[in-house]
Amino acid sequence: MEPTELAVLAVGVVTAMATGTATGVGEAAGAAVTELVRSRLARTERGRAALAGIDGGGTSGPERTQAQAQAVLREEIEADPELGRQLALHLNTPTTYNRDSVVIDRSTISRSHISLGPITVNKTPGSLAVLALTGVLLLALVALGVYGGTRLIADDDPRGTDAQESGASGGKAAPDEGKAADSAGGTADRTRALTVAQTRDALPTPKDMPPGWSQEGPADAVEAEQAGACHEGDTRYAMTASGSGSVRAEFQIFGCTPPTQAERVRKQLVREQSGYDRTTPLSVAPLGDKSSTFTYYKEPEDSTNAMAVLRVGSTVGWLRFGEVNDLPGYEAQLDELARAFVGRIERTLADG
């Protein structure tokens, strides 16, 4: 999603949380979005004024208050793409809502429209603001009249163009997907969900890394905010590269439940990282069950980073390597780091 779209949706969630109305995302995701937005807006005088208006303490009308909050948040997202990535992950977290036997199950946000099961909303500024402010409850009631059932909004695979997507069987599930070799020469189910501890253990250790890399603090993982969501973990490494100064490798992992959920997370990560200018696919060999590799350019920092987003069963790995502006042979190094990541995930799954 573009910064403007993220700002509209995120401010809509904060407003809904403040007024006690439906947010369109889960309670935990709504709380996470609210915390991110409030903490960022509180840094500036304009942001604090917008928050005061959202909380009912301002002198401006609701529309002007929200427009001000959206403008400030958009600027923050443009200055800090990591903030935008975190907001997008929370706003697109698969969620299920139960309200008097009506179930709203997941939604899909693409560049041109928002799909909620059988309903598609074109992403104009007006429709985005209405959707963010009123939530999906009204759409659920409309769908109820059409279908007369309790399952209103069905999940659909996100649509979008990956920078580069590859799999061992040309994009289809390989016959042995979900199987990993164990130490006894048999197979182990790798589609199972990892525990929080296993999610942390699936991150590369110093022993898994190529020579020259030093870990910057211990690996960590946190439990999913709600039932059915993914556990998340991360760790970082640094290395002094000849002629390029220090380079970093950031690893993030998502221990999801079914492979379908993990694939949605993987695609969302690819879409968000592909939103930068000069996104260029890389010709790295396929990894895991599905993988995407590319470089992207960050104009404010005048820097280029290499990325790998991969899935092994129900586990998703996110790797950022950079800066690679003047780093020779960075594709081979990205491949080496990504293979170490996949190997660590597969061993964790095989160990059970």
Side-chain angles (χ1 to χ4, degrees):
M1 283 181 283
E2 298 298 326
T4 299
E5 299 165 1
L6 277 173
V8 169
L9 291 175
V11 169
V13 169
V14 174
T15 303
M17 294 288 285
T19 58
T21 57
T23 64
V25 296
E27 182 177 349
V33 170
T34 298
E35 182 179 357
L36 281 171
V37 173
R38 285 185 174 276
S39 63
R40 191 55 67 101
L41 293 185
R43 296 181 178 183
T44 64
E45 184 175 349
R46 290 173 60 211
R48 289 191 292 271
L51 285 176
I54 290 174
D55 294 332
T59 58
S60 302
E63 293 184 1
R64 185 173 180 180
T65 294
Q66 290 182 55
Q68 182 180 357
Q70 292 163 10
V72 176
L73 184 59
R74 185 189 68 247
E75 294 170 3
E76 292 289 335
I77 293 170
E78 290 173 345
D80 183 7
E82 178 62 21
L83 171 63
R85 190 181 72 82
Q86 292 181 22
L87 287 172
L89 283 176
H90 289 302
L91 289 169
N92 286 276
T93 298
T95 57
T96 299
Y97 307 84
N98 291 281
R99 294 292 184 270
D100 300 328
S101 78
V102 176
V103 178
I104 302 175
D105 190 10
R106 305 184 177 95
S107 61
T108 298
I109 299 176
S110 71
R111 291 184 179 276
S112 60
H113 65 272
I114 302 174
S115 297
L116 301 117
I119 300 172
T120 298
V121 180
N122 291 327
K123 290 171 68 173
T124 64
S127 65
L128 281 171
V130 172
L131 180 62
L133 292 175
T134 63
V136 297
L137 184 57
L138 179 59
L139 297 180
L141 294 175
V142 173
L144 179 61
V146 175
Y147 284 88
T150 59
R151 186 175 179 84
L152 300 184
I153 301 176
D155 172 60
D156 190 11
D157 285 339
R159 294 181 180 276
T161 303
D162 287 356
Q164 182 242 349
E165 187 170 88
S166 57
S169 57
K172 299 180 180 180
D176 59 347
E177 180 171 339
K179 302 293 185 179
D182 60 23
S183 57
T187 59
D189 180 15
R190 65 182 183 182
T191 63
R192 62 183 177 82
L194 297 176
T195 65
V196 179
Q198 289 169 336
T199 300
R200 182 191 62 245
D201 292 343
L203 289 162
T205 68
K207 292 182 179 179
D208 301 314
M209 295 291 289
W213 288 96
S214 300
Q215 192 171 22
E216 296 185 324
D220 192 20
V222 294
E223 187 174 3
E225 295 182 346
Q226 60 189 36
C230 307
H231 303 315
E232 297 184 30
D234 63 84
T235 189
R236 296 185 179 192
Y237 288 83
M239 179 182 69
T240 301
S242 176
S244 300
S246 179
V247 292
R248 281 192 170 90
E250 302 175 41
F251 297 88
Q252 191 167 1
I253 192 165
F254 300 83
C256 303
T257 305
T260 52
Q261 180 193 32
E263 182 61 12
R264 282 193 299 273
V265 171
R266 189 195 68 82
K267 287 184 176 180
Q268 179 62 29
L269 289 169
V270 170
R271 278 199 299 270
E272 294 304 322
Q273 294 297 329
S274 299
Y276 294 97
D277 294 335
R278 307 184 199 176
T279 299
T280 306
L282 295 177
S283 56
V284 175
L287 298 165
D289 295 323
K290 210 66 171 290
S291 63
S292 302
T293 54
F294 49 92
T295 59
Y296 69 93
Y297 176 72
K298 298 173 67 176
E299 185 173 1
E301 294 86 354
D302 188 26
S303 67
T304 301
N305 289 270
M307 296 288 305
V309 185
L310 49 94
R311 178 176 64 83
V312 179
S314 296
T315 306
V316 178
W318 176 94
L319 163 62
R320 177 165 60 190
F321 173 46
E323 301 174 359
V324 299
N325 302 47
D326 304 312
L327 186 64
Y330 66 83
E331 283 195 49
Q333 294 185 58
L334 177 70
D335 179 61
E336 188 175 24
L337 292 170
R339 290 186 182 279
F341 199 0
V342 169
R344 183 67 187 181
I345 293 172
E346 289 181 336
R347 285 194 297 276
T348 302
L349 290 165
D351 289 342

